[in-house]
């Protein structure tokens, strides 16, 4: 069930369920540092989050091609998150190689840090339960999920892996991360044919960390 072509069929099935610029002013008696912090916070709130570039993904022999940033939640992640995504204005970018490896990033700015925290926790929970959900929905699939820990970046990021094997012998591996910077949440997915031994975990963790630090 990767983020690439073979998963498209499963993703399509699951997807049926898916549905100021501001300038801070110093208050009377406010310290200069406090004023600067308020200004920086206001600018960060107003800025649009940035997406990964192709060069920031795990290295691939053929290189990566990045698509445009597009509105909406990507169906490429519907296989794990199709039914668990609250209604927000998402943006996403797809990436592909000349072979069977592909990737996706989806980002959303929620209404507050508390809402961002809740959304990140919800997405993380959905990914943790993805393997069991796939096996329940699709008896021809055997799935294994793994948790690869957290990353010390902004408000944190978690990294997961998913391996699937079909009854006709197709095997795929995916890596997924959920990260947050204040009220903004970003998910990165990477997938190709193979198993966990074929997944570039160390490089993906760097990508997942970059996805969060690059937001603002």
């Amino acid at each position: 069930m990767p983020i690439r072509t073979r998963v498209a069929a499963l993703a399509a099935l699951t997807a049926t369920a898916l549905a100021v610029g501001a300038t801070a002013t110093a208050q009377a008696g406010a310290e200069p540092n406090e004023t600067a912090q308020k200004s920086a916070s206001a600018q960060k709130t107003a800025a649009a989050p940035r997406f990964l570039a192709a060069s920031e993904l795990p290295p691939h022999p053929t290189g990566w091609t990045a698509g445009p940033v597009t509105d909406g939640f990507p169906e490429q992640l519907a296989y794990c998150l199709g039914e668990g995504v609250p209604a927000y204005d998402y943006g996403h970018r797809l990436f592909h190689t000349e072979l069977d490896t592909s990737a996706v990033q989806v980002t959303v700015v929620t209404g507050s840090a508390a809402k961002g925290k809740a959304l990140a926790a919800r997405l993380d929970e959905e990914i943790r339960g993805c393997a069991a959900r796939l096996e329940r929905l699709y008896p021809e699939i055997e799935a294994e999920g793994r948790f690869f820990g957290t990353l010390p970046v902004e408000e944190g990021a978690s990294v997961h892996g998913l391996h699937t094997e079909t009854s006709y012998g197709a095997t795929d591996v995916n890596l997924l991360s959920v990260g947050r910077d204040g009220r903004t949440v970003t998910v990165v997915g990477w997938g190709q044919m193979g198993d966990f031994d074929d997944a570039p975990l160390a490089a993906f963790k760097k990508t997942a960390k970059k996805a969060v630090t690059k937001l603002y």
Side-chain angles (χ1 to χ4, degrees):
M1 236 30 68
I3 299 164
R4 24 167 231 92
T5 307
R6 186 176 298 125
V7 172
L10 176 57
L13 292 174
T14 311
T16 59
L18 179 68
V20 241
T23 303
T25 1
Q27 298 177 354
E31 295 293 331
N33 285 344
E34 180 183 351
T35 301
Q37 289 172 357
K38 288 182 178 179
S39 178
S41 176
Q43 291 173 6
K44 184 174 180 179
T45 298
R50 294 179 297 162
F51 282 74
L52 291 167
S55 60
E56 294 164 330
L57 295 173
H60 190 275
T62 70
W64 290 92
T65 298
V69 175
T70 305
D71 291 339
F73 193 87
E75 68 174 19
Q76 286 78 7
L77 288 176
Y79 68 98
C80 255
L81 298 173
E83 296 180 0
V85 179
Y88 280 109
D89 292 329
Y90 297 91
H92 68 275
R93 168 173 277 178
L94 303 180
F95 304 85
H96 70 271
T97 67
E98 293 180 13
L99 298 178
D100 67 337
T101 307
S102 60
V104 59
Q105 180 184 12
V106 59
T107 298
V108 60
V109 181
T110 67
S112 67
K115 290 182 178 180
K117 181 178 180 180
L119 177 60
R122 171 72 177 274
L123 296 177
D124 195 68
E125 181 181 359
E126 291 293 325
I127 292 174
R128 286 176 183 270
C130 183
R133 204 159 51 247
L134 288 176
E135 288 191 335
R136 184 174 67 251
L137 293 172
Y138 306 99
E140 73 279 10
I141 292 175
E142 291 185 7
E144 178 189 359
R146 293 185 185 180
F147 176 59
F148 292 120
T150 59
L151 302 174
V153 53
E154 299 299 342
E155 276 69 61
S158 58
V159 179
H160 303 264
L162 174 70
H163 175 254
T164 60
E165 183 172 358
T166 67
S167 58
Y168 51 86
T171 63
D172 297 286
V173 61
N174 289 297
L175 296 174
L176 301 111
S177 68
V178 180
R180 182 172 71 92
D181 184 355
R183 64 177 185 151
T184 303
V185 178
T186 190
V187 178
V188 180
W190 171 99
Q192 70 173 30
M193 293 176 63
D195 55 31
F196 285 118
D197 291 337
D198 302 307
L201 181 58
F204 181 79
K205 285 184 175 182
K206 292 181 180 179
T207 294
K209 189 172 183 179
K210 182 66 175 180
V212 179
T213 60
K214 189 177 181 178
L215 288 171
Y216 298 104

